[in-house]
Amino acid sequence: MIPSLKEWDENYREQGLVIIGNHYPEFGYEADVNNLKAKVLEYGIEYAVAQDNDGATWQAYDNIYWPTLYLIDKQGHIRYVHIGEGRYEETEAAIQILLAETYP
């Protein structure tokens, strides 16, 4: 999923897309912010990645699957959810639709 996220960030950032990765550690060493920073650099990720050690964001969305992708519109409403890998073309189409909407 990371290659697609990086591509969408590059292609749509100037149009207003904001990607925020939420890292909820599965293993103890993943909770170390320095390990997360190293992976972000290793993978060349330029979008924001939040460290969610307590799972607060994970739980706020009632998330139980990894990965789960949420598209949130300009009003702050969840408009698209995809669980798991795949459906990249469908997701990109949804991104384009949401970016084309006007903000009152």
Side-chain angles (χ1 to χ4, degrees), residues 3-54:
S4 293
L5 291 169
K6 287 172 57 176
E7 183 177 331
W8 296 331
D9 182 50
E10 182 179 318
N11 292 341
Y12 300 108
R13 180 186 294 227
E14 294 297 319
Q15 296 176 46
L17 179 67
V18 176
I19 296 177
I20 303 170
N22 186 67
H23 177 68
Y24 180 39
E26 183 176 3
F27 304 106
Y29 69 89
E30 294 177 336
D32 183 331
V33 71
N34 291 317
N35 291 336
L36 176 59
K37 287 179 181 180
K39 287 298 179 184
V40 167
L41 287 173
E42 178 183 333
Y43 291 132
I45 295 171
E46 295 184 14
Y47 52 84
V49 178
Q51 180 84 353
D52 190 20
N53 284 348
D54 296 328

Side-chain angles (χ1 to χ4, degrees), residues 40-93:
V40 167
L41 287 173
E42 178 183 333
Y43 291 132
I45 295 171
E46 295 184 14
Y47 52 84
V49 178
Q51 180 84 353
D52 190 20
N53 284 348
D54 296 328
T57 302
W58 181 273
Q59 293 166 12
Y61 284 85
D62 292 326
N63 198 27
I64 56 173
Y65 301 105
W66 186 92
T68 301
L69 180 71
Y70 298 91
L71 296 184
I72 301 169
D73 69 14
K74 296 171 185 174
Q75 302 282 353
H77 301 108
I78 297 172
R79 297 274 297 278
Y80 177 90
V81 178
H82 176 66
I83 296 169
E85 302 276 341
R87 292 180 35 190
Y88 299 113
E89 291 175 5
E90 179 182 299
T91 301
E92 185 168 8

